[in-house]
Amino acid sequence: MKHKIVDEAERLFWKYGVKSVTLDDISRRLGISKKTLYQHFSDKEDLVYQVVVNHFNAKKENVNCHKIDAHNAVDAMLMLSVMVRKYADSNNPNLLFDIERHYPKAWEEYRKYKEEFVFASIIENLEWGIRDGLYRDDINVEVLARLRLESMHLAMDEAVFPHDRFGLTDIQIELLHHFLRGMLTEKGFTIYNQFNHEL
Amino acid sequence: MKHKIVDEAERLFWKYGVKSVTLDDISRRLGISKKTLYQHFSDKEDLVYQVVVNHFNAKKENVNCHKIDAHNAVDAMLMLSVMVRKYADSNNPNLLFDIERHYPKAWEEYRKYKEEFVFASIIENLEWGIRDGLYRDDINVEVLARLRLESMHLAMDEAVFPHDRFGLTDIQIELLHHFLRGMLTEKGFTIYNQFNHEL
């Protein structure tokens, strides 16, 4: 039941925003009593937190699976752009800002996901690419990993890319390819052209 | 005399920070009376403003001169990395934060310089490179120009790149080269390798 509630809550949050969905809405949708709901979650803040934890755990698994499938670092990076397109609907920057403002515990989970898991994944990818001679060996891994992490945020920043003029998915993919190309060696470009066409 | 005061004030601001330099300090250094100083500037805020305006006008001229010297868009971009090294001392991020906090009129001048002059220069460079076939013609010029503008800021952000662990000049040059390489075509790479070796 807990899992079912988390799933339904996540669906409603994406659709209507975190603020406007109440615990009443969720229990009504699931045809359960609020008492049942409170058996699993102490309050809305707790539910939002569980939704965020669940969401990022699923994302981590997804990223890790892609890593196993990937033939090389370039391929792994290109797969991310497939994922970006695939999950385009669930990329709601307003939702993130809502969470940042009103749900500090859930926000902390997001921050941790980004700073720990995403950052470590980027570093790992860059080192993999350098080892195989696909990325230049003179790049400063930590500087570029930080750049990548920050530009993922930048894409969602309404002040930099107003949503009425820029499509979020397009920006993310543009930035991802530009980031990747900026590191490629000649050998890397051969792989890039090959795998990019396969997508 | 006005020019002399502005120059001396700028020198002192770089050296000691804007906050800690008083109008008394400046007039003492120049051996002039405070009355003379007030003939040219209504107050310290006004002086800081004039220093900033003067600084960015000089920078604009400098950038424009380099543009005239440059053989192509790649060369022009690479010249910026020479400028970054040359003016490394006058890259004081703390100074900028000081101005942001305490001198709104001067800060507005900085913001305008960045948003108007720098942004337009980047756009111009990208279009030049595309026209000559040195940059890919499938880049989104506005998205990448915004990325470039924001990463110039990012380099100075203490939260992203703590100053005790990252050298500002190194970061700026790393980001500049990565940005440039991310746009290059094969023809662009030939030019890049040629001009980069000449520096």
Side-chain angles (χ1 to χ4, degrees):
Chain A
M1 177 50 79
K2 188 175 176 179
H3 205 76
K4 220 169 134 186
I5 300 172
V6 167
D7 281 351
E8 181 63 15
E10 176 159 1
R11 209 183 57 77
L12 293 174
F13 291 160
W14 283 122
K15 201 160 172 189
Y16 304 105
V18 180
K19 279 296 278 182
S20 48
V21 175
T22 65
L23 294 185
D24 278 323
D25 295 329
I26 296 166
S27 53
R28 207 176 313 117
R29 289 274 185 160
L30 290 164
I32 60 173
S33 67
K34 272 186 83 176
K35 207 185 131 208
T36 310
L37 214 147
Y38 279 116
Q39 276 165 6
H40 298 284
F41 307 95
S42 57
D43 50 22
K44 188 176 168 189
E45 163 115 39
D46 184 33
L47 174 60
V48 173
Y49 172 73
Q50 299 290 345
V51 167
V52 168
V53 167
N54 180 63
H55 178 78
F56 287 122
N57 280 339
K59 257 196 150 166
K60 278 183 198 176
E61 238 174 76
N62 206 324
V63 170
N64 285 332
C65 287
H66 275 97
K67 229 179 316 195
I68 292 165
D69 288 345
H71 293 86
N72 52 61
V74 171
D75 183 25
M77 195 72 93
L78 286 171
M79 278 184 182
L80 286 179
S81 90
V82 179
M83 271 178 72
V84 169
R85 282 220 190 280
K86 194 168 155 198
Y87 294 100
D89 322 334
S90 65
N91 254 322
N92 184 338
N94 297 327
L95 202 71
L96 269 185
F97 290 124
D98 225 16
I99 292 175
E100 181 175 16
R101 267 190 302 268
H102 305 291
Y103 303 95
K105 227 180 109 192
W107 180 253
E108 177 57 24
E109 203 58 30
Y110 169 68
R111 211 199 49 76
K112 254 172 58 189
Y113 167 76
K114 201 193 76 160
E115 280 294 321
E116 293 167 16
F117 177 75
V118 180
F119 189 61
S121 301
I122 300 171
I123 296 267
E124 202 186 309
N125 182 280
L126 302 201
E127 287 173 346
W128 185 12
I130 293 171
R131 222 163 36 237
D132 290 353
L134 305 184
Y135 300 159
R136 292 181 277 136
D137 59 6
D138 62 349
I139 60 175
N140 184 325
V141 170
E142 208 181 336
V143 169
L144 289 190
R146 292 239 149 250
L147 168 73
R148 179 70 196 126
L149 201 62
E150 293 305 316
S151 40
M152 288 162 89
H153 255 247
L154 201 64
M156 293 191 277
D157 190 333
E158 167 82 31
V160 179
F161 296 111
H163 304 328
D164 55 342
R165 293 188 43 228
F166 297 94
L168 181 59
T169 307
D170 294 339
I171 297 172
Q172 286 175 321
I173 289 176
E174 177 88 27
L175 296 185
L176 181 73
H177 281 262
H178 173 265
F179 178 74
L180 176 56
R181 296 181 71 118
M183 303 186 296
L184 295 178
T185 58
E186 259 189 70
K187 188 178 162 194
F189 265 105
T190 309
I191 302 277
Y192 173 84
N193 290 326
Q194 179 190 336
F195 278 82
N196 200 24
H197 287 148
E198 282 176 12
L199 295 178
Chain B
M1 176 52 76
K2 188 174 174 179
H3 205 76
K4 222 168 132 185
I5 300 172
V6 167
D7 281 351
E8 181 62 16
E10 176 159 0
R11 209 182 56 78
L12 292 174
F13 290 161
W14 282 122
K15 200 160 172 188
Y16 304 106
V18 179
K19 280 295 278 182
S20 50
V21 174
T22 65
L23 293 185
D24 277 323
D25 295 330
I26 296 166
S27 53
R28 207 177 312 118
R29 289 274 184 160
L30 290 165
I32 59 172
S33 66
K34 270 186 86 176
K35 209 186 128 206
T36 309
L37 213 148
Y38 279 115
Q39 276 165 7
H40 299 285
F41 308 95
S42 57
D43 51 21
K44 188 176 167 188
E45 162 117 38
D46 185 32
L47 175 60
V48 173
Y49 173 73
Q50 298 292 345
V51 166
V52 168
V53 167
N54 180 63
H55 177 79
F56 287 122
N57 280 340
K59 257 195 150 167
K60 278 182 200 176
E61 240 174 76
N62 206 324
V63 170
N64 285 332
C65 287
H66 276 97
K67 229 180 313 195
I68 292 166
D69 288 346
H71 294 85
N72 52 62
V74 172
D75 183 25
M77 195 71 95
L78 287 170
M79 277 184 183
L80 285 178
S81 91
V82 179
M83 271 179 71
V84 169
R85 282 221 188 280
K86 195 168 154 198
Y87 294 100
D89 323 334
S90 64
N91 253 322
N92 184 338
N94 296 328
L95 201 70
L96 269 185
F97 289 125
D98 225 16
I99 291 175
E100 181 175 14
R101 267 191 302 268
H102 304 291
Y103 303 95
K105 229 180 105 192
W107 179 254
E108 176 57 24
E109 203 58 29
Y110 169 69
R111 211 198 49 75
K112 256 170 57 189
Y113 167 76
K114 201 192 76 162
E115 280 293 322
E116 293 168 16
F117 179 73
V118 180
F119 188 62
S121 301
I122 300 170
I123 297 266
E124 203 185 309
N125 181 280
L126 301 200
E127 287 173 346
W128 185 10
I130 293 171
R131 222 162 38 235
D132 289 355
L134 306 184
Y135 300 159
R136 291 181 279 136
D137 59 5
D138 62 349
I139 60 175
N140 184 325
V141 170
E142 207 181 335
V143 169
L144 290 189
R146 293 240 148 252
L147 168 71
R148 179 70 196 128
L149 201 62
E150 293 305 316
S151 40
M152 288 160 89
H153 256 248
L154 201 64
M156 294 191 277
D157 190 334
E158 167 82 30
V160 179
F161 297 110
H163 303 328
D164 55 341
R165 293 188 42 230
F166 296 95
L168 180 58
T169 307
D170 293 340
I171 297 171
Q172 286 174 322
I173 290 175
E174 178 89 26
L175 296 184
L176 181 74
H177 281 262
H178 173 265
F179 178 74
L180 177 56
R181 296 181 71 120
M183 303 186 295
L184 295 178
T185 59
E186 258 189 72
K187 188 177 161 195
F189 265 106
T190 311
I191 301 277
Y192 173 83
N193 290 324
Q194 178 190 337
F195 278 82
N196 200 24
H197 287 148
E198 281 175 11
L199 297 179

